[in-house]
């Protein structure tokens, strides 16, 4: 099965047997994923460099440990490159580079879309131009909105009890 590509200045749409994936080229985001006629995501896949404070942070923003600038770091990002190509395996690769001017950093994302609709996401972050005053992010993650119809999940993280980044011996 091959993947069909429809591209405009604003959007890249990739369709295969029982799936459609769409990218917003102006925002550099995967913004739609439909599989077997079901809309799987309700909000685009976006970067997030923020996390909630924990008791272990002890006045985090006053101590300088957690910089507030990272909360809005991904707002007003710029798409510096957007490339797509079909590979010899039949899969499609989409590479997007985003620049985050507020924190002087960037990320190069590679989305590998297989003929069966599976998506593998790889990210390479560049914080080399981020100043010492800004510091490094305390979290690197991605967020997306899930279709509310999908209210059953399986969690494969650490244990059934609460975990913190400094607790590595939780039951699994």
């Amino acid at each position: 099965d091959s993947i069909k590509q429809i591209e405009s200045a604003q959007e890249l749409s990739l369709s295969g047997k029982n799936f459609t994936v769409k990218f917003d080229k102006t925002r550099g985001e995967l913004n739609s994923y439909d599989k077997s006629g079901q809309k799987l995501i309700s909000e685009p896949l976006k970067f997030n460099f923020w996390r909630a404070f924990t008791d272990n942070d002890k006045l985090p923003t006053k101590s300088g440990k957690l910089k507030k600038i990272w909360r809005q770091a991904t707002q007003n990002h710029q798409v510096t490159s957007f490339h797509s190509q079909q590979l010899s395996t039949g899969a499609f690769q989409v590479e997007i580079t985003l620049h985050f001017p507020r924190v002087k950093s960037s990320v190069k994302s590679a989305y590998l879309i297989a003929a069966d609709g599976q998506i593998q996401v790889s990210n390479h972050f560049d914080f080399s131009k981020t100043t010492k005053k800004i510091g490094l992010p305390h979290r690197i993650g991605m967020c997306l909105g899930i279709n509310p119809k999908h209210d059953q999940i399986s969690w494969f993280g650490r244990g059934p009890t609460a975990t913190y980044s400094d607790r590595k011996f939780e039951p699994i």
Side-chain angles (χ1 to χ4, degrees), residues 104-118:
K104 300 175 178 70
S105 62
S106 63
V107 62
K108 182 176 183 179
S109 300
Y111 298 83
L112 184 64
I113 297 97
D116 64 358
Q118 290 187 46

Side-chain angles (χ1 to χ4, degrees), residues 10-27:
Q10 291 83 27
E11 184 178 79
L12 170 65
S13 177
L14 303 171
S15 299
K17 186 177 179 181
N18 295 323
F19 80 91
T20 302
V21 176
K22 293 181 181 177
F23 291 88
D24 180 335
K25 293 172 65 176
T26 61
R27 301 271 315 142

